[in-house]
Structures are given as C-alpha cells and as structure tokens.
C-alpha cells in the first residue's frame, strides 16, 4: 500500500467510514514479555484515533488487564455462563472509554460449551455490535486455547524481547502457527529494545530463522524501548500512554497503532457476534 492510500484509509477511519470490525490477538511464547502492557496502551492509542475499542482478557492463568488499568472487575465470562450475568454487568469501562471484558475462568470452558450455553454467550456478545476493534490478550505458550484465539484473529501480534529464551519461545510459537496453517498474518513487536537498531537486529534474526527453517514470512510491526516509565505506569495502574504521553514508549505505541490501522488484513469476522460464533465453533471441534 502506498503512502497516499494509507492516508486515505486513515481519513476514512477518522470519518467513521469504511472501517470494518477487526480482531487483533496479542500472544507470546514466553510469559512476562509485555503482552498486557502492549494491549492496554495500544487500546488507548486506537481509541484516540477514533476507534471503539474492546479488550478481551483471555489469559486465564495470569489475567491482569484489570490490574494494569486499576479497575475493579467483579465478574467475568464465567458469570455469564453460570450466574446469569449480562455482558453489561461483566464488562468494565475504563476512564478513557475502553470496554474491558474479563474472561476469567470462563475462557478455559469455551471448548466444552453445549449448544444452549453457546447461544447464551453469543447473544450477550451480540450486544457489543458497535465495537470497531477487539484486542485479545492471550496467555503465553501454545495451549490449544491460545492457538484457537490465534486462528480466528485477523491480525496476530507476537511480542518478544531480545533475550535468547524469549526469542526461542517466540520462534516455537510461530513455527506451530505457520506449520499448522493456523494463521499466516504474523506480526512481531520487539519489546524492551535498547534502541531502534537493536530492535531491527533482533527481528532480523528471528525472521532469518523463520525463513530458513519454515520458509515463511513474518512481518515487523514495531518496537517498544526499555523505558522506566513503563514500570512506573504499572505501579500507578494506568496505561503509560495516558500518564506519560510523551515518553519514548508512548511514541512507539502510536507508531504501532498507525501501522496496524494502515494494514489491509483479511477480515474474517464481520462483527463481534460473528467472531464469537466462529471462535466457539473452532474451540468445540
Ligand atoms: N518496554 C518496557 N520497559 C520497561 N519495563 C517493561 C517494558 N515492558 C514490560 N516491562 C515490565 O515487564 C512486566 C511484564 O509485562 P506484562 O505486559 O505484564 O507482560 P505479559 O503480559 O507478557 O506477561 C511489566 O510489569 C513491566 O514491569
Ligand atoms: Mg499479561
């Protein structure tokens, strides 16, 4: 896509035209590499660009989207399934207007739902018909749940840092996803980079390995520097992009979000309802 086309798309997006529902799933091989921080800050950046954004916390092992937002998530998808809660009671709206959907232990049940339960869940998600972008924060690793979330995503973002362990685990996840033809739209974010060159070098290393051993392509989406403001924002339980909008990490997040919006992607689901129907179908197979 050339620069002019990218700009046209961005203008269309601003005017609320021509933008289709899109699902971005953020995963990693290793835990603790920065998925949740990327998700919540990206959500705020996309929101600033005029999108209606929802975040699904699908990391049932270490769900902490609510902690990083400093919000109180009382219920989760589990309560829709078992305690007759409705989506508007489960979701929490952040100060800057992001819809947070805690998955809780409901996530690991998604593969075992009977037809009635599925219908119930889909009916609740249908109520979120005005969402433009769903960001899914998955757990680390290669559980079948994570792979299912990757399969139904329009865009997959894999986060890693430059440590050999994180890179090896990122490679293993990418290998499973590409070799299994689970999703071909793999985009990588290098977190905690020393600088842009360090980030590119780390990505190039990963890309060369994927190319040599799998013969497939992965794309560079951007980087986030190692920035002490990130840790500070975590302690203050607010996205750094809001409390420290001019820090280097925030500028890099804005770059990543404009890169994501400029991307043409194969859009798989037309709406939240459609997305959840597909997800549950895939999980139940
Ligand atoms: N770019 C960064 N600069 C400095 N510290 C970071 C950065 N990214 C992540 N961290 C630190 O790593 C911790 C784990 O990040 P988190 O987003 O929770 O990872 P994950 O969701 O992958 O487990 C954060 O609490 C923060 O202290
Ligand atoms: Mg996390």
């Amino acid at each position: 896509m050339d620069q002019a086309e990218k700009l046209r798309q961005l203008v269309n997006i601003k005017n609320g035209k021509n933008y289709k529902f899109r699902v971005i799933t953020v995963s990693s091989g290793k835990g603790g590499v920065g998925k949740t921080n990327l998700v919540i800050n990206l959500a705020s950046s996309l929101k600033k660009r005029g999108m209606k954004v929802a975040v699904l916390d699908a990391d049932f092992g270490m769900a902490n989207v609510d902690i990083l937002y400093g919000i109180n998530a009382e219920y989760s998808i589990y309560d829709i399934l078992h305690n007759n809660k409705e989506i508007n009671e489960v979701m929490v709206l952040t100060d800057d207007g992001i819809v947070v959907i805690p998955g809780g232990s409901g996530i690991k049940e998604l593969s075992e739902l009977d037809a009635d339960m599925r219908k119930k869940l889909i009916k609740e998600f249908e109520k979120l018909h005005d969402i433009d972008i769903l960001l899914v924060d998955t757990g680390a690793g290669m559980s079948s749940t994570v792979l299912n979330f990757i399969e139904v995503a329009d865009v997959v973002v894999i986060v890693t840092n430059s440590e050999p362990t994180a890179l090896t685990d990122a490679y293993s996840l990418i290998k499973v996803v590409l070799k299994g033809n689970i999703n071909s739209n793999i985009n990588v974010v290098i977190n905690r980079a020393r600088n842009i060159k360090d980030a590119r070098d780390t990505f190039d290393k990963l890309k060369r390995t994927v190319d040599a051993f799998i013969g497939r392509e992965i794309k560079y989406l951007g980087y986030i520097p190692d920035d002490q403001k990130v840790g500070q924002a975590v302690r203050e339980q607010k996205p750094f992009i809001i409390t420290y909008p001019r820090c280097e990490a925030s500028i890099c997040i804005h770059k990543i979000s404009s890169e994501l919006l400029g991307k043409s992607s194969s859009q798989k689901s037309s709406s939240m309802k459609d997305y959840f129907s597909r997800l549950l179908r895939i999980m139940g197979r």
Side-chain angles (χ1 to χ4, degrees), residues 32 34-37 57 59 62-65 68 137-138:
K35 285 181 299 299
T36 307
N37 271 281
D57 191 347
D59 185 353
M62 287 188 260
N64 46 25
V65 167
L68 289 191
D137 184 8
T138 75

Side-chain angles (χ1 to χ4, degrees), residues 28 31-37 68 191-192 224-227 230-231 234:
S28 68
V33 294
K35 285 181 299 299
T36 307
N37 271 281
L68 289 191
N191 190 22
R192 309 195 77 158
I224 307 163
D226 194 274
D227 188 331
V230 176
V234 169

Side-chain angles (χ1 to χ4, degrees), residues 182-196:
I182 293 171
N183 200 315
S184 56
N185 195 0
I186 306 281
N187 303 271
V188 175
V189 167
I190 307 293
N191 190 22
R192 309 195 77 158
R194 261 175 300 165
N195 50 49
I196 189 164

